[in-house]
Amino acid sequence: MSDAYALGQYQLTPGCFDELVESNGQPRPEGAPVTRFIVNKGEEELQRRQQQLDATIRAMGVSFTVYSDSQNIDRSWPLDVIPRTISSSEWQRTSAGLKQRLRALNLFINDLYNDQKVLKDGIVPADLILNSKNFLAPCKGIQPPHGVWAHICGTDLVRDENGTFLVLEDNLRVPSGVSYMLENRTVMKRVFPELFAESTILPVDDYPYQLWRTLASLSPRKDVTPVVVLLTPGIYNSAYFEHSFLAQQMGCYLAENSDLYVGSDDKVYLRTLRGPLQVDVIYRRIDDIFIDPEVFRKDSVLGIKGLIRAWKAGNVGLANAPGSGVADDKVVYAYVPKLIEYYLGEKPLIDNVETYLCMDDKEREYVLANLDKLVVKPANESGGYGIMIGPRASDEERAKMADAIRSNPRNFIAQPTLALSTAPTLCDGVLEPRHLDLRPFILQGEELYCTTGGLSRVALRKGSLVVNSSQGGGSKDTWIVSDEG
């Protein structure tokens, strides 16, 4: 009996690449140990392991917050028992493409706030940038350490029907989710020790150290061990679990704005029981417009007055730098392949998903005529909000989107409805295919680093293409399996 036949009722989704099973029904080589486990142990044992996994997550306190009816509801993190497997040779190519992309994006951002050569050369339309709400005029003329603005990037990848990775979007402001990638691995090691013994699964647990190194490279003081602070909005933020987790793992300070102040010397200080402590680097998890009421929103109760002044004076490093969100825009995303060629003189190693810009008259005309076939996205939303999946939308929803596009075409892009890859997922005790994406994390400071895999997010609802946890999605541990030799 073949492994695939022994998977029982598991049915491949027509037209979709499956992460574990090939189109002929055979297991993919990198997933063979997982397939053998399913074959030998059966779905009953999988359910028992899922229960063990869920209990471990609850005991560890791994949670996320959902906003509902003006309430903050903490929920246990949803992790599926069956891992996603990717070969190390494929990941090596993918990682190189992700690093290439971040290098180009940082050169682009640095150019925008200084010479603006890319605009003068017509590579990107000037009005697209200069009229963007994410282009922050107070940041003009600043040269951050290493010329890097976006130090932590979460790039969302999807596979097409052929299994080719494509970039869906770049997250350059305050990308989240890496703590869940790390906790997923911790939990899976406890639940599947035999699979880790059988396979060479590349580790992910060096991320906190690599993040600390990236942040430390921004320190203005080179003669002391940098004082690094993670700035959080507080316990009611949906990503607070991640803030506290990363601060603990890096061994750095976790602080709210009331814990910090800018002195008369334009340096940032942390209030401690032993007196003020000079801060060298701030990893901020607060949106740009809230970080300094002296420069941006005057009514912000989350920011630190004078922070931009201290940053401009070169007395503190900020990650991600204010203004980096100018490249975290789904319209700018469409130009990234051109930016890679413009700044690096290289062809993109990972392609974009085909994208239509509604601000272009011809492309807008096509989008409006094909709303039933396309996915339409607002340029600056996140978390899956504001997206319309045309084939699954009602006539009323499509008409409403058409009106929104006509009234503000700059704010929308459209893409083909992709046949996202699937992976076997335990749903009510039965293995069923569910669509998923992948968010690797790329760091750039003095050096470049890419995680070994990333956070695989799964649409737990049957047939759904929306993977965000805020929209009912879950996750899988991502195993990069060595295929060398």
Side-chain angles (χ1 to χ4, degrees):
M1 182 179 289
S2 75
D3 286 349
Y5 181 80
L7 287 181
Q9 301 301 312
Y10 184 70
Q11 298 290 323
L12 296 175
T13 301
C16 294
F17 179 92
D18 193 87
E19 300 285 338
L20 188 63
V21 181
E22 295 182 358
S23 57
N24 62 5
Q26 294 301 307
R28 299 191 184 280
E30 59 272 17
V34 175
T35 309
R36 281 197 296 273
F37 181 92
I38 297 171
V39 169
N40 294 332
K41 302 292 186 180
E43 290 179 349
E44 188 174 330
E45 176 62 15
L46 281 179
Q47 289 185 64
R48 192 186 73 79
R49 299 282 178 119
Q50 181 72 61
Q51 291 167 359
Q52 182 184 348
L53 182 153
D54 293 340
T56 303
I57 286 175
R58 287 193 298 272
M60 292 171 59
V62 184
S63 64
F64 72 107
T65 304
V66 176
Y67 296 112
S68 176
D69 298 327
S70 301
Q71 293 182 322
N72 300 340
I73 302 172
D74 284 333
R75 295 181 179 171
S76 291
W77 177 247
L79 171 61
D80 183 65
V81 71
I82 302 171
R84 176 195 200 159
T85 53
I86 301 170
S87 71
S88 60
S89 56
E90 181 180 25
W91 189 250
Q92 193 171 13
R93 296 189 297 272
T94 306
S95 175
L98 293 167
K99 292 176 182 177
Q100 176 196 55
R101 194 173 180 95
L102 186 56
R103 284 170 56 215
L105 284 167
N106 272 311
L107 288 167
F108 172 59
I109 300 168
N110 198 50
D111 187 7
L112 291 180
Y113 287 112
N114 289 279
D115 298 333
Q116 298 188 343
K117 191 172 183 295
V118 68
L119 304 183
K120 295 168 187 172
D121 289 345
I123 306 300
V124 177
D127 60 344
L128 173 66
I129 300 300
L130 301 180
N131 295 329
S132 169
K133 68 177 184 180
N134 296 315
F135 180 74
L136 305 182
C139 298
K140 290 171 69 173
I142 294 177
Q143 288 278 358
H146 320 297
V148 174
W149 294 71
H151 309 90
I152 302 103
C153 175
T155 297
D156 291 344
L157 299 177
V158 294
R159 289 194 197 262
D160 64 14
E161 64 275 10
N162 300 313
T164 303
F165 274 123
L166 301 171
V167 175
L168 188 64
E169 63 181 56
D170 304 290
N171 297 283
L172 300 170
R173 281 175 276 194
V174 282
S176 63
V178 73
S179 62
Y180 298 113
M181 176 194 81
L182 298 169
E183 292 285 49
N184 284 356
R185 179 58 54 85
T186 300
V187 173
M188 291 291 281
K189 281 182 177 178
R190 295 184 185 181
V191 175
F192 288 105
E194 64 270 61
L195 281 177
F196 280 88
E198 185 178 351
S199 304
T200 304
I201 301 163
L202 302 186
V204 297
D205 51 9
D206 67 331
Y207 179 83
Y209 170 67
Q210 296 292 347
L211 176 58
W212 190 90
R213 282 189 66 197
T214 298
L215 297 172
S217 74
L218 312 181
S219 175
R221 293 192 294 174
K222 304 301 182 185
D223 56 340
V224 298
T225 301
V227 175
V228 178
V229 169
L230 192 154
L231 176 62
T232 176
I235 61 172
Y236 297 111
N237 184 268
S238 61
Y240 183 75
F241 170 83
E242 175 156 297
H243 303 167
S244 57
F245 175 87
L246 288 175
Q248 188 271 332
Q249 291 290 308
M250 286 191 290
C252 74
Y253 294 95
L254 179 67
E256 295 182 34
N257 65 323
S258 57
D259 301 313
L260 298 160
Y261 69 94
V262 176
S264 58
D265 56 358
D266 287 344
K267 294 178 180 177
V268 181
Y269 293 92
L270 176 70
R271 294 183 173 93
T272 76
L273 294 176
R274 296 184 178 181
L277 178 65
Q278 185 179 341
V279 174
D280 298 298
V281 183
I282 295 177
Y283 175 22
R284 54 102 180 184
R285 297 297 296 259
I286 294 174
D287 288 343
D288 285 353
I289 60 172
F290 295 105
I291 62 172
D292 185 351
E294 186 176 280
V295 176
F296 301 116
R297 284 189 58 155
K298 311 298 182 189
D299 60 345
S300 173
V301 296
L302 300 175
I304 304 161
K305 188 176 181 181
L307 181 59
I308 297 299
R309 192 166 12 102
W311 178 52
K312 282 186 173 181
N315 292 329
V316 68
L318 294 181
N320 283 346
S324 55
V326 69
D328 185 352
D329 180 314
K330 293 179 181 65
V331 177
V332 172
Y333 153 91
Y335 291 91
V336 175
K338 287 184 179 179
L339 297 177
I340 291 171
E341 295 193 39
Y342 179 73
Y343 288 108
L344 304 179
E346 301 168 0
K347 294 289 184 183
L349 298 175
I350 310 177
D351 289 330
N352 276 14
V353 174
E354 185 180 10
T355 302
Y356 303 98
L357 301 178
C358 292
M359 66 181 191
D360 179 277
D361 292 343
K362 286 187 177 179
E363 294 187 19
R364 181 172 64 255
E365 186 178 329
Y366 174 82
V367 170
L368 291 171
N370 292 275
L371 285 175
D372 59 330
K373 304 180 184 70
L374 301 170
V375 176
V376 182
K377 301 177 180 180
N380 286 293
E381 289 287 349
S382 60
Y385 295 103
I387 292 176
M388 187 205 74
I389 300 175
R392 300 178 186 187
S394 66
D395 290 342
E396 183 182 352
E397 288 169 330
R398 288 196 287 266
K400 189 175 179 181
M401 179 57 75
D403 289 342
I405 290 171
R406 291 188 186 101
S407 64
N408 187 7
R410 158 66 177 87
N411 193 46
F412 293 95
I413 66 161
Q415 296 171 328
T417 306
L418 293 175
L420 299 186
S421 63
T422 59
T425 305
L426 194 63
C427 304
D428 296 324
V430 178
L431 286 179
E432 294 184 351
R434 291 292 186 267
H435 295 290
L436 74 172
D437 76 353
L438 178 62
R439 177 175 289 183
F441 294 86
I442 311 95
L443 304 177
Q444 186 175 2
E446 192 171 11
E447 300 174 359
L448 274 161
Y449 166 85
C450 180
T451 51
T452 310
L455 177 64
S456 285
R457 303 181 300 175
V458 187
L460 295 179
R461 297 190 184 107
K462 189 170 185 175
S464 174
L465 298 174
V466 181
V467 300
N468 307 76
S469 57
S470 57
Q471 305 289 310
S475 69
K476 285 179 176 287
D477 191 14
T478 309
W479 291 4
I480 306 301
V481 181
S482 176
D483 59 352
E484 295 180 8

